[in-house]
Amino acid sequence: MRILTNCCALFTLVAFAEAAYPHGHPSLPAFFQQSSPSRTRSVFSRLRDGLIRSIWSIPSCTAERGATNIKFDSTPPSTLLARYGGDVVLRFAINSPQEAAALTEAVHILFLDVWEFNADWVDIRLAKDVVPSLLGLLPPSLQHAHTPLMHDLAQAIFESYPSLTIEDPSPPAHDGNHPFVPVLHTIPDTDETNIFFRNYQPLSVIIPWMRLLRSLFPTHVRMINVGVSYEGRDIPALRVGVHPSKAETPSSPRKTIIITGGSHAREWISTSTVNYIAYSFITAYGKSREITRLLEEFDWVFIPTLNPDGYVYTWETDRLWRKNRQQTSLRFCRGVDLDHAYSFQWDHDSSAANNPCSESFAGEGPFQGVEARRFSNWARNETVNNNVTIVAFVDLHSYSQQILYPYSYTCSKAPPSLENLEELAIGLAKAIRTTKGEKYTVTAACEGIVELKDQQDKKFWPRIESGGGSALDWFYHELNVKYSYQIKLRDTGGYGFLLPSKNIVPTGLEAFNAIKYMGHFLLGNKGIEGAEESRDASAALGAEMQGDDDENNEEANIELRRCRRRVMLM
């Protein structure tokens, strides 16, 4: 697997450089600066093709098109079958507080891996032979209230990695019964987004790619580190923005927006989406008036993965690893859930939070999670010592297609800027919907965990997972970031964390449009300025008309929940 990822790094970076600068880059040596664009491209192409041929012993591509078609075994290796071959993912429908309490207790007793949850359902991964034990702990109403989401988990995991398949560049035939088709092609000249974002990328590819962006766009891109991981890896970030010259040093703090991903290692789509948004902003500077203005008005900090150790581990050892990789009090149970490790309302009462073997282990004290502590130190230092005001924080996760705002730790207390949070969140959801038609629900993060249904008794349903110690609440409350959100990306459970790579670009485009909306909203334009540059006006109008009913329903639902919470807080 390491050989494959290093090879992918070489191929991807050469192809990216070729596409980004078809006429050669000014900093290249004179040898590469050819008078003919075609000759310049051939230098990169020969280097790329030579790498591929040497790595996989492919004959020279002088034969007829289609002559080279090398395929490898598509069966998961024995190690993957041994780990996940007997596992399934089940979705349980929850309809009462008693069912929620029973399922929560069973999850803690059996140390089950909860994939995702909301007010209506819970997705759980478990071994097939554990299913009878789980059902035995549940009330009769839940014993038949589940449906399988994934029958062959090992195969789905195997197919989420880039494939060792080298095929002809012509479009492959798609099998409608085989949804996973991640393939590494020898590709012809194409748009940049079809190169780096064709597959999920390992950290060994992402970091050189970030350095390349810094080198290609030095006027508005800097590469920084926001901390160091438990295992000693840098936590890299791209800081994008156009700073005034020294003679025009601003007297007021620089407004900054932070976009993060990868707190949970297995949520690869969050890392790819941060990269997609960063790349879209960087390459549009000077070409798009709206993006140029956003980079002039704000600094944008893009952090692809806050959990580099865990992310590397998902590529090299366990695709479904969630936590970081630090040692705990139990030698055989490693890792802290970074999104429960922040100091604000850190939850020490939850049984899951106190169990090092739990996927939601919050550590033995606030900020025990190394990466969470160092990232928070960096953010606070920016605001105290570096003349920065963080005006928005967006933490990308997967999955369930939700836009969540504070608070996460409780539904019994409403955030002071609730209406502002809801207004922007609705706009983000609309920007996503008018991109590809995907619907994202808007709700408080606490309600994303459990719905407030016992209105008369003023009781909250039991939580499947603690909501304390989240990055969302910490930035909102401790750093006074007025607009703090957690966005859970595609999908709603069909693939879960194993979203096929063909969704990278559509998901990235949705998120990019949402973040653009946020930027314009923060400028006081309510997110509507410059929309004509990002999509065809007539298509946008049609999508907007089609979604009017959904938007009205969403606003009505939010108002209903707001009133319900006010009643419960009385």
Side-chain angles (χ1 to χ4, degrees), residues 483-502:
Y483 294 101
S484 296
Y485 296 95
Q486 182 181 107
I487 300 180
K488 295 192 175 183
L489 303 166
R490 295 188 186 188
D491 59 3
T492 55
Y495 296 99
F497 304 123
L498 306 175
L499 193 68
S501 57
K502 65 184 179 182

Side-chain angles (χ1 to χ4, degrees), residues 61-70 166-170 186:
C61 297
T62 57
E64 287 187 338
R65 189 184 185 112
T68 300
N69 190 10
I70 301 176
I166 309 299
E167 293 185 348
D168 181 83
S170 57
T186 55

Side-chain angles (χ1 to χ4, degrees), residues 21-69:
Y21 281 92
H23 302 293
H25 189 265
S27 64
L28 285 175
F31 172 78
F32 289 98
Q33 301 300 337
Q34 307 288 342
S35 59
S36 167
S38 61
R39 293 189 65 188
T40 304
R41 293 185 72 84
S42 68
V43 172
F44 288 117
S45 298
R46 287 198 303 271
L47 178 57
R48 178 195 64 198
D49 295 340
L51 286 169
I52 295 172
R53 287 196 298 272
S54 63
I55 292 165
W56 284 288
S57 301
I58 299 174
S60 178
C61 297
T62 57
E64 287 187 338
R65 189 184 185 112
T68 300
N69 190 10

Side-chain angles (χ1 to χ4, degrees), residues 451-526:
E451 183 67 55
L452 304 176
K453 292 184 177 178
D454 287 355
Q455 179 176 338
Q456 294 182 349
D457 295 335
K458 298 185 180 181
K459 293 181 180 178
F460 299 97
W461 285 26
R463 294 173 181 258
I464 296 297
E465 181 179 290
S466 168
S470 69
L472 172 72
D473 288 355
W474 188 84
F475 272 86
Y476 181 79
H477 188 273
E478 296 296 317
L479 290 192
N480 298 314
V481 179
K482 184 177 179 180
Y483 294 101
S484 296
Y485 296 95
Q486 182 181 107
I487 300 180
K488 295 192 175 183
L489 303 166
R490 295 188 186 188
D491 59 3
T492 55
Y495 296 99
F497 304 123
L498 306 175
L499 193 68
S501 57
K502 65 184 179 182
N503 289 272
I504 293 174
V505 172
T507 305
L509 183 58
E510 293 168 350
F512 172 55
N513 286 335
I515 297 303
K516 279 195 303 182
Y517 181 98
M518 170 180 283
H520 288 298
F521 183 94
L522 294 175
L523 289 176
N525 301 322
K526 302 305 180 185

Side-chain angles (χ1 to χ4, degrees), residues 411-427:
C411 285
S412 64
K413 182 178 180 180
S417 59
L418 175 60
E419 293 188 2
N420 292 328
L421 286 164
E422 290 175 336
E423 181 184 5
L424 177 52
I426 293 172

